[in-house]
């Protein structure tokens, strides 16, 4: 459906209004997402669709944010997903998405949303800390050919004939330790791709409290090969350059392996044992007192104490009567996430390829090194 640039005739806004009504009536968990921002749940009392016959606007709000956009048309309409064309100041065209987060096919949207949101935060961090440099490239796109992950936003900064590689680890810290490895791959790739630039080094941005392991590793890299910098950013969006000399191997420790099932209640333990008998289901300790149930790296349930939560895009508390549904989810994941999958373009097949690779390594440790024990891992 082609959008109208100004919506003067009211035709395209009218069709957009009808499409929004269809979407809302068919959705169980509707949400609005503007690329680069956190989504707004379209809960009763938290949004307004205003249509006066000529002008269509949509307003959404929560406790801390609000957004108002004029809708000029519909770009795509699919089950559970509606892409709207909007007018942004000053008279620029943009897009917002209406999504039904209850649909399994949109399981990756929440992760994608977080990545896009952090990508824009990473852009602001770079602009503040490298004001004399130009951000020539910033991406979260996956590039399997060059082993570039979508987990970490990466950037190329330029100042004349000088270049600088930059890599960011998202908030939460769960993936912080992998940022340096991906950053070194990015640095090497840029040096090969940009022979006319002198890519002098790598800047890694890490969430506060998760920088220690990376700083210790950097102390053992050759400073003549590249200039390495670590910036630690706070939840408020401020970053500080750390001094690698402040990090030494004076606090060595090895976390003991823990049996995460020991903290589970009797009923939850029996549920995990039942679910663990499903095809290709793995039970993985997350080191935080919780146990994760995955199929080829994709988590479909997590439990701790007397609680088991299940779901892909959003987790819901489970009861005994939900077990058949959870088993069905696991079986469907095993069918879709398979080397013999009928549809390799399915989002559930393509979701989290790094976790899938990790799953393969876990199940074939002896082939990598016969001295490695299969548990604990």
């Amino acid at each position: 459906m082609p959008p109208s640039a100004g919506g003067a005739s009211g035709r395209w806004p009218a069709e957009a209004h009808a499409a929004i009504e269809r979407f809302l009536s068919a959705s169980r968990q509707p949400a609005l997402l503007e690329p680069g921002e956190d989504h707004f749940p379209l809960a009763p009392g938290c949004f307004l669709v205003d249509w006066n016959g000529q002008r269509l606007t949509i307003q959404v709000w929560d406790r801390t944010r609000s957004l108002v956009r004029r809708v000029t048309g519909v770009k795509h309409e699919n089950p559970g997903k509606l892409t709207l064309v909007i007018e942004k100041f000053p008279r620029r065209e943009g897009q917002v998405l209406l999504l039904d987060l209850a649909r399994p096919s949109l399981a990756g949207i929440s992760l994608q949303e977080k990545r896009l949101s952090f990508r824009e935060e990473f852009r602001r961090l770079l602009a503040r800390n490298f004001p004399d440099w130009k951000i020539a490239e910033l991406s979260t796109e996956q590039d399997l050919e060059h082993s570039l992950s979508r987990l970490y936003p990466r950037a190329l900064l330029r100042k004349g004939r000088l270049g600088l590689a930059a890599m960011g680890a998202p908030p939460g810290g769960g993936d912080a330790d992998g940022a340096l490895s991906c950053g070194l791959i990015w640095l090497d790739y840029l040096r090969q791709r940009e022979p006319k630039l002198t890519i002098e080094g790598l800047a890694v941005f890490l969430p506060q409290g998760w920088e220690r392991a990376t700083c210790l590793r950097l102390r053992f890299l050759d400073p003549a090969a590249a200039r390495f910098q670590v910036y630690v950013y706070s939840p408020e969006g401020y970053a500080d350059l750390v001094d690698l000399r402040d990090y030494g191997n004076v606090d060595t420790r090895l976390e003991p392996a823990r049996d995460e099932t020991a903290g589970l209640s009797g009923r939850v333990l029996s549920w995990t044992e039942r679910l663990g008998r499903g095809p290709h289901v793995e039970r993985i300790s997350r080191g935080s007192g919780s146990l994760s149930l995955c199929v080829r790296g994709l988590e479909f349930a997590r439990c701790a104490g007397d609680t088991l939560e299940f779901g892909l895009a959003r987790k819901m508390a489970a009861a005994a009567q939900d077990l058949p549904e959870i088993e069905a989810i696991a079986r469907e994941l095993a069918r879709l996430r398979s080397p013999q999958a009928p549809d390799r373009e399915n989002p559930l097949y393509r979701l989290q390829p790094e976790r899938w690779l990790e799953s393969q390594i876990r199940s074939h440790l002896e082939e990598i090194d016969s001295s490695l024990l299969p548990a604990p891992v």
Side-chain angles (χ1 to χ4, degrees):
M1 180 185 300
S4 169
S9 69
R11 176 187 172 194
W12 303 127
E15 295 185 3
H17 180 249
I20 293 173
E21 293 296 320
R22 288 193 298 271
F23 170 84
L24 292 174
S25 64
S27 299
R28 289 185 295 158
Q29 193 178 348
L32 181 144
L33 172 64
E34 186 168 59
E37 302 294 337
D38 293 335
H39 76 269
F40 286 89
L42 297 181
C46 293
F47 75 97
L48 174 66
V49 178
D50 185 18
W51 168 238
N52 63 7
Q54 290 291 325
R55 184 184 180 93
L56 174 63
T57 60
I58 185 167
Q59 304 177 43
V60 289
W61 58 88
D62 58 22
R63 292 184 177 181
T64 59
R65 303 173 299 149
S66 64
L67 180 143
V68 180
R69 291 290 181 260
R70 181 183 179 185
V71 180
T72 59
V74 175
K75 185 171 184 179
H76 299 295
E77 184 175 6
N78 304 104
K81 183 178 180 180
L82 180 63
T83 305
L84 300 174
V85 181
I86 60 170
E87 183 180 272
K88 300 180 71 173
F89 181 83
R91 291 197 171 276
R92 292 186 297 115
E93 190 176 274
Q95 295 180 14
V96 295
L97 305 178
L98 299 187
L99 306 168
D100 183 3
L101 299 180
R103 287 181 172 262
S105 60
L106 298 177
I109 288 293
S110 181
L111 290 174
Q112 180 184 6
E113 169 193 345
K114 291 178 181 178
R115 289 177 186 135
L116 290 175
S117 179
F118 179 62
R119 182 192 66 185
E120 297 309 307
E121 175 63 21
F122 186 47
R123 187 192 304 275
R124 290 188 285 269
L125 289 171
L126 291 173
R128 289 172 185 163
N129 290 278
F130 296 93
D132 298 330
W133 293 70
K134 176 185 177 182
I135 302 175
E137 183 178 341
L138 177 60
S139 176
T140 54
E141 294 299 316
Q142 182 171 259
D143 184 348
L144 294 178
E145 180 181 357
H146 299 102
S147 301
L148 298 173
S149 171
R150 68 179 65 170
L151 289 176
Y152 309 99
R154 56 190 183 272
L156 168 62
L157 306 180
R158 294 189 60 168
K159 184 168 67 172
R161 301 184 66 85
L162 296 178
L164 182 68
M167 183 71 60
D175 299 307
D177 290 350
L180 176 58
S181 298
C182 290
L184 293 173
I185 294 172
W186 176 235
L187 172 63
D188 180 68
Y189 170 71
L190 287 178
R191 284 178 167 175
Q192 296 183 50
R193 195 192 73 181
E194 306 287 346
K196 295 183 179 180
L197 282 180
T198 301
I199 311 294
E200 60 180 28
L202 170 68
V204 182
F205 285 75
L206 302 171
Q208 194 173 59
W210 292 90
E211 72 277 8
R212 180 174 176 77
T214 297
C215 291
L216 289 174
R217 292 167 183 166
L218 280 175
R219 288 172 58 89
F220 290 90
L221 297 185
D222 184 2
R227 177 167 63 94
F228 297 108
Q229 298 173 291
V230 173
Y231 288 82
V232 175
Y233 66 86
S234 67
E236 294 76 27
Y238 297 99
D240 292 314
L241 177 65
V242 303
D243 188 344
L244 297 180
R245 294 173 298 181
D246 292 338
Y247 294 84
N249 193 19
V250 296
D251 187 24
T252 302
R253 61 177 179 171
L254 179 64
E255 292 289 345
R258 294 185 294 177
D259 180 7
E260 302 296 352
T261 62
L264 301 180
S265 67
R267 66 165 191 158
V268 172
L269 180 59
S270 67
W271 293 351
T272 61
E273 291 174 347
R274 172 176 167 177
L275 295 172
R277 291 192 287 269
H280 303 289
V281 173
E282 300 173 284
R283 299 195 301 175
I284 302 173
S285 169
R286 291 304 182 192
S288 58
S290 64
L291 190 69
S292 178
L293 298 174
C294 306
V295 171
R296 292 194 171 99
L298 185 58
E299 182 181 83
F300 66 90
R302 181 180 290 241
C303 53
D306 192 45
T307 302
L308 186 145
E309 297 180 326
F310 73 100
L312 298 176
R314 292 288 186 273
K315 293 287 192 290
M316 299 178 290
Q321 61 266 27
D322 296 315
L323 291 180
E325 179 182 352
I326 303 174
E327 289 174 316
I329 292 174
R331 287 194 299 270
E332 184 67 2
L333 287 177
R335 184 182 72 85
L336 294 173
R337 290 175 71 83
S338 164
Q340 293 79 38
D343 179 11
R344 297 197 173 193
E345 296 301 318
N346 188 291
L348 294 178
Y349 178 89
R350 301 172 64 87
L351 199 61
Q352 298 184 12
E354 295 90 354
R355 297 295 189 191
W356 191 338
L357 177 60
E358 176 188 326
S359 171
Q360 292 297 99
I361 294 174
R362 283 177 179 273
S363 59
H364 298 86
L365 279 178
E366 296 91 341
E367 297 181 22
I368 297 173
D369 187 336
S370 59
S371 66
L372 295 176
L373 298 177
V377 178

